Amino acid sequence: MTHAANRADETRIHWKRVLEATLDERSVPFSADYWSEKDSWSRDRTRAVQDEKIRAVAPFLYENSAFYRRRFDRLGVAPSDLTSVESLIANWPVVTKQEMMEDALAHPPYGTYTTCGQKEWEDRGWMLFSSSGSTGVPRVFRYTHFDRRFWEQANARALHSGGIRKGDSAIPMVGFGPHVFAWGVQYTMAAMSLPVIPGGGLDGPARANLIDRFKPTVLVCTPSYAFYLGRVMQDMGLDPAASSIRWMITGGEPFSGVAGTMEKLQGLWDATAVEFYGCTEASPHCGGYSCPEYQSGAQNFIHLMDDIQVWETVDAETLAVTPRGQKGLSVCTNLTSESSAQLRFLVGDYTTLSDEPCACGRNHTKAMGCMTGRSDDLINLRGIKFFPVQIEEAVRAVPGTGDEFQIHLRKDGDLDVMTVTVEHTDPAAAEAVAREIRSRCEVRSAVQVVAPNALPKSQMKAKRVFDERTRA
Ligand SMILES: [Zn+2]
């Protein structure tokens, strides 16, 4: 064996040993409140574990990822320079999706930014996932069965915190494509010894019948699909609020942070939202989850699981660290994977982090206002920047508007113009929606009112933004 191959193996063995020492593999909860003892750790104890993991992961990445090795060498940083969270932030500039995309293009089909090579894939490969971002070339991530065990436990902590218990059963209504969200729920339900009723490959009425007959308690789908299915049930003469559904695990679209949407959906189903936030690049599980304090409605936030990942925010322009309490783009250092450990990956969701203690007893960082849209989705209209969710909030603020809406951007001569289409029985509602948009986004928009249910209902992730400005 060559010296380089030796170093690659040695650092991998050490990294996996450090990870295994933190694995609390269980099929029943540690206590009524916490799935794992780690949920009750102090901030100092969590920080010590983060620091120890950084010392093991830096040489592992250097020896096992060509992307990271090039970056270390280019920056003049040695793996031994990264000894703690503090030194990581001081020495290691954020890694962007653009860098990963360039690497994927130069080294198809996998790129070199992960640490699951062909040898690991053949020996213990589990699943291939693909980034679901709305821009750029798809980046793929191969994960191993070693990672799956950590993934299941992190997710179990999140679902337990959200209220999922023995007696619950889930119905996932998703395409089961190469996206982490639904697979994460699927495997975690199995790890928690909880049953699943497969709801794939069926239309709305068939799924409504499954719920009516077999009484699952947990809906797993996108928020827009939960709206759609609730309306299908109503059309069938079934009341979703009176159904067996008590929890909604949603993914794929911003949800909790969108004022009006969560209240409307929880009301439709008389069920509680369980937030489950993640990204493909820094899995197992990106670490965002809800707790009883959030569900009480006292504060709008999600927790971030600090012992498996380090979360920070940076300024959107300079990429410099923003202090706690100040808005910025989310950055994640993933400290729980042999396949895709990442140092300071720019996830790019706008949020404001807080270290304030939580009434639920967990000391994990809070993302206040939740995650309200990725920077990729930012709309720039005549120099004014806003997110589709801000338009969504404006639509929700007007009583009587339907579940769906659309944002159309086009050129009128040299001028960029926006038209928002909403459903309402009263055409005069246009004025109220336009006023709400103006006050939230500081931008003028035409508003078109169509009849209730005139817009297509989304079966999966809703397409709501139609940008036609680049067309001739
Ligand atoms: Zn909490």
Side-chain angles (χ1 to χ4, degrees), residues 173-184:
M173 291 171 293
V174 289
F176 279 110
H179 310 302
V180 289
F181 164 63
W183 290 111

Side-chain angles (χ1 to χ4, degrees), residues 291 293 301 303 358 360 362:
C291 75
E293 175 67 1
F301 69 94
H303 276 299
C358 186
C360 80
R362 290 170 182 79

Side-chain angles (χ1 to χ4, degrees), residues 239-254:
D239 179 8
S243 75
S244 55
I245 299 296
R246 296 176 56 228
W247 309 102
M248 293 182 289
I249 306 179
T250 61
E253 298 163 1

Side-chain angles (χ1 to χ4, degrees), residues 410-432:
R410 62 186 174 79
K411 285 259 183 226
D412 184 5
D414 286 338
L415 196 65
D416 287 1
V417 295
M418 174 166 75
T419 303
V420 174
T421 306
V422 299
E423 301 171 326
H424 206 288
T425 50
D426 181 5
E431 205 174 302

Side-chain angles (χ1 to χ4, degrees), residues 160-465:
H160 187 83
S161 174
I164 311 293
R165 295 288 187 277
K166 271 278 177 236
D168 282 318
S169 56
I171 178 161
M173 291 171 293
V174 289
F176 279 110
H179 310 302
V180 289
F181 164 63
W183 290 111
V185 178
Q186 177 74 32
Y187 275 90
T188 304
M189 289 296 284
M192 295 172 83
S193 299
L194 299 178
V196 169
I197 300 169
L202 301 169
D203 64 11
R207 285 168 167 164
N209 274 323
L210 277 187
I211 292 171
D212 191 46
R213 292 180 69 195
F214 303 124
K215 316 283 186 228
T217 60
V218 187
L219 209 57
V220 183
C221 58
T222 60
S224 42
Y225 192 80
F227 272 123
Y228 166 77
L229 189 64
R231 302 305 175 196
V232 167
M233 286 189 90
Q234 289 175 335
D235 290 345
M236 293 166 69
L238 299 167
D239 179 8
S243 75
S244 55
I245 299 296
R246 296 176 56 228
W247 309 102
M248 293 182 289
I249 306 179
T250 61
E253 298 163 1
F255 178 47
S256 311
V258 189
T261 294
M262 194 171 80
E263 292 81 351
K264 194 171 180 179
L265 198 51
Q266 293 197 139
L268 176 64
W269 285 93
D270 190 21
T272 304
V274 177
E275 184 71 40
F276 198 64
Y277 164 83
C279 74
T280 314
E281 295 85 350
S283 284
H285 184 38
C286 214
Y289 66 97
S290 45
C291 75
E293 175 67 1
Y294 150 79
Q295 288 167 332
S296 75
Q299 275 186 321
N300 188 23
F301 69 94
I302 52 173
H303 276 299
L304 299 167
M305 213 171 276
D306 293 326
D307 55 281
I308 65 167
Q309 292 158 337
V310 179
W311 285 89
E312 355 145 26
T313 49
V314 295
D315 183 89
E317 302 295 326
T318 65
L319 301 183
V321 180
T322 52
R324 292 302 207 231
Q326 194 177 311
K327 199 172 176 178
L329 295 179
S330 59
V331 169
C332 178
T333 291
N334 188 25
L335 296 175
T336 316
S337 173
E338 80 152 328
S339 305
S340 188
Q342 301 291 342
L343 300 181
R344 302 196 76 212
F345 171 67
L346 181 65
V347 181
D349 279 307
Y350 276 96
T351 192
T352 306
L353 301 182
S354 163
D355 293 336
E356 289 295 310
C358 186
C360 80
R362 290 170 182 79
N363 291 302
H364 291 162
T365 302
K366 295 195 272 191
M368 306 307 296
C370 303
M371 301 287 179
T372 51
R374 292 217 161 145
S375 52
D376 309 348
D377 300 326
L378 198 68
I379 295 172
N380 186 337
L381 186 74
R382 306 190 292 267
I384 299 166
K385 292 174 183 170
F386 52 93
F387 284 104
V389 296
Q390 289 172 271
I391 302 291
E392 182 171 349
E393 289 179 341
V395 173
R396 304 280 183 238
V398 176
T401 48
D403 300 331
E404 278 308 318
F405 65 95
Q406 291 183 348
I407 301 167
H408 292 269
L409 303 159
R410 62 186 174 79
K411 285 259 183 226
D412 184 5
D414 286 338
L415 196 65
D416 287 1
V417 295
M418 174 166 75
T419 303
V420 174
T421 306
V422 299
E423 301 171 326
H424 206 288
T425 50
D426 181 5
E431 205 174 302
V433 174
R435 196 164 48 237
E436 291 290 342
I437 292 171
R438 208 157 51 234
S439 78
R440 284 155 205 272
C441 309
E442 292 169 10
V443 72
R444 282 182 186 280
S445 174
V447 176
Q448 181 194 13
V449 175
V450 297
N453 297 318
L455 293 175
K457 297 295 172 247
S458 179
Q459 297 264 343
M460 283 300 147
K461 200 166 172 167
K463 177 162 175 59
R464 289 168 172 158
V465 181

